[in-house]
Every structure is written in structure tokens, then in C-alpha cells.
């Protein structure tokens, strides 16, 4: 356990930030949530840019260790506080986790995350393209999750934490989950984990999975 609460700079509607909030909670780490007002450009101020030169949430401050990028933070937290439970050391198992971290930064980001950006934040992306990419992704996830309970095997890892939020909130971006029972079962398995904490939902998009 850390000596002091880990500071998490975040916005409550940021899925990238929620990944880290969820990981901290699953690990039982005391956390101080620090609100960054994205609507008012707080992430572009000199003070915040000193924490993350890319001007993005999340950022953590772990007793003086400052780190940005949600997936990088997940790996750091799992390696430091996870007792080997969330980040495998076996080369093949580790590679399977890394594959899904890449998916989180790639297909999930360009699919359900982008679709949600359009509806929740008014971002100027192509909704039809983002929704199409989302269903391509979900079709693959449905197949993969027919083989194992979690993305990288039969135990939860940082791969699941990285992928959970934007898939769970995909309906907010008008991406329905009704045709993906394995994906919905996977979401339920994550939500059943001890210390699970969800992200605030909006009234945007579809109001059912």
C-alpha cells in the first residue's frame, strides 16, 4: 500500500481516466480524486501541462512519481501494487495482455470511445464510421470471449480494465450491445469484482444495451 493516497487527475466522464480509477479501486489503493475541468480547458493550462505535456487526463501522482497515459498507468499500478495478480510475468500471458492494451489504444479508441465522444462531448467525428468500427471490434470480442471468461485468459488482468469502460458505455455512443451476449457476460464479470467502481453514465445515445 502507498503511504499517502495516490492523486488521480481526472474528469468523471473520461473513460481513460475511469480505467485508472477502476484499477486503483480494484487494488484497494487509497485515492485522492482531483477534478480537471476539461470544458474550461483546465487540461491545457501551464500547471497541468507540467504534469502531462500532451494535455490529457488521466495523470497520477504516486507520492512524487508522476505518470500519464491510462494504459501506462495501469501497467505501473499492477506491477507495483498488484501482487502479480493483474499483470502476468509469463512471456506468452504478458503478450496476450499487451495485445489487448493495443486494442484499447487502437480499435476501442477509434470505435466506441470516439462514438461516445460525438454524443457526449459533441466531437466532430464521423458517427457512422465510429459505430461501424465499434461493431467490427465487438464481433471479434464476442468470438474471443467465447473461448475464455476474460480477455487474456480465465482471470482478470489490466487488459480487462483497459477495455471495460468504453465497451460498457458504448450505448452512449449509439452502439448497441444486444447482439453480443459474451461481451455482456464479460462486463458483468468485471462489475462483480470486489471493489468495482463504475463510471457516471449520461443520458446520451441509447438507454439500453
Amino acid at each position: 500500500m502507498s503511504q499517502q493516497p495516490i492523486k488521480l487527475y481526472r474528469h468523471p466522464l473520461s473513460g481513460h481516466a475511469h480505467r485508472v480509477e477502476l484499477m486503483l479501486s480494484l487494488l484497494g489503493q487509497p485515492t485522492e480524486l482531483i477534478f480537471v475541468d476539461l470544458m474550461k480547458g483546465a487540461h491545457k493550462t501551464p500547471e497541468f501541462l507540467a504534469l502531462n505535456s500532451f494535455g490529457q487526463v488521466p495523470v497520477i501522482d504516486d507520492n512524487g512519481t508522476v505518470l500519464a497515459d491510462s494504459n501506462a498507468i495501469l501497467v505501473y499500478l499492477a506491477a507495483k501494487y498488484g501482487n502479480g495478480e493483474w499483470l502476468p510475468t509469463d512471456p506468452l500471458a504478458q503478450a496476450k495482455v499487451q495485445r489487448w492494451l493495443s486494442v484499447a489504444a487502437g480499435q476501442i479508441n477509434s470505435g466506441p470511445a470516439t462514438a461516445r465522444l460525438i454524443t457526449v462531448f459533441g466531437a466532430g467525428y464521423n458517427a457512422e464510421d465510429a459505430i461501424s468500427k465499434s461493431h467490427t471490434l465487438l464481433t471479434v470480442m464476442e468470438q474471443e470471449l467465447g473461448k475464455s471468461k476474460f480477455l487474456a485468459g480465465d482471470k482478470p488482468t489490466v487488459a480487462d480494465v483497459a477495455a471495460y469502460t468504453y465497451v460498457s458505455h458504448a450505448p452512449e455512443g449509439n452502439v448497441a450491445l444486444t447482439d453480443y451476449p459474451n461481451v455482456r457476460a464479460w462486463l458483468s464479470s468485471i462489475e462483480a469484482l470486489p471493489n468495482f467502481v463504475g463510471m457516471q453514465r449520461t443520458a446520451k445515445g441509447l438507454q439500453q444495451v
Side-chain angles (χ1 to χ4, degrees):
M1 300 289 282
S2 59
Q3 295 179 351
Q4 299 176 352
I6 295 175
K7 295 179 181 179
L8 170 58
Y9 295 82
R10 47 72 103 164
H11 187 281
L13 295 181
S14 165
H16 285 75
H18 177 259
R19 291 173 181 168
V20 177
E21 183 179 354
L22 175 57
M23 186 82 261
L24 285 163
S25 185
L26 292 172
L27 292 171
Q29 287 297 310
T31 304
E32 177 186 352
L33 299 177
I34 300 175
F35 175 65
V36 179
D37 194 341
L38 303 181
M39 303 304 108
K40 293 185 177 180
H43 55 308
K44 302 299 182 182
T45 64
E47 293 79 11
F48 189 83
L49 290 173
L51 298 173
N52 179 8
S53 55
F54 284 109
Q56 298 171 327
V57 294
V59 175
I60 64 165
D61 181 345
D62 182 12
N63 299 300
T65 297
V66 177
L67 188 61
D69 182 86
S70 61
N71 286 349
I73 295 170
L74 294 184
V75 169
Y76 167 83
L77 292 173
K80 187 169 183 180
Y81 300 111
N83 298 316
E85 293 294 318
W86 293 92
L87 187 66
T89 56
D90 172 76
L92 179 57
Q94 198 170 83
K96 289 181 178 179
V97 168
Q98 180 58 57
R99 175 190 180 219
W100 285 104
L101 293 179
S102 296
V103 170
Q107 292 94 324
I108 289 176
N109 191 60
S110 63
T114 296
R116 183 176 172 274
L117 276 176
I118 296 167
T119 57
V120 175
F121 293 101
Y125 297 108
N126 185 306
E128 184 178 349
D129 180 60
I131 292 171
S132 176
K133 288 180 177 178
S134 297
H135 286 295
T136 298
L137 163 73
L138 289 165
T139 298
V140 173
M141 292 184 70
E142 179 71 11
Q143 295 170 350
E144 298 270 335
L145 289 166
K147 304 172 186 175
S148 60
K149 184 176 182 180
F150 295 99
L151 291 175
D154 292 324
K155 293 182 179 180
T157 67
V158 293
D160 302 287
V161 179
Y164 169 81
T165 306
Y166 285 119
V167 174
S168 172
H169 287 256
E172 293 179 4
N174 291 316
V175 178
L177 300 178
T178 46
D179 292 337
Y180 308 102
N182 292 337
V183 171
R184 289 185 280 110
W186 165 73
L187 293 173
S188 295
S189 293
I190 296 172
E191 292 160 4
L193 294 172
N195 298 322
F196 169 83
V197 58
M199 183 172 72
Q200 176 182 332
R201 293 190 179 274
T202 74
K204 302 294 184 179
L206 306 174
Q207 293 307 302
Q208 70 282 337
V209 297

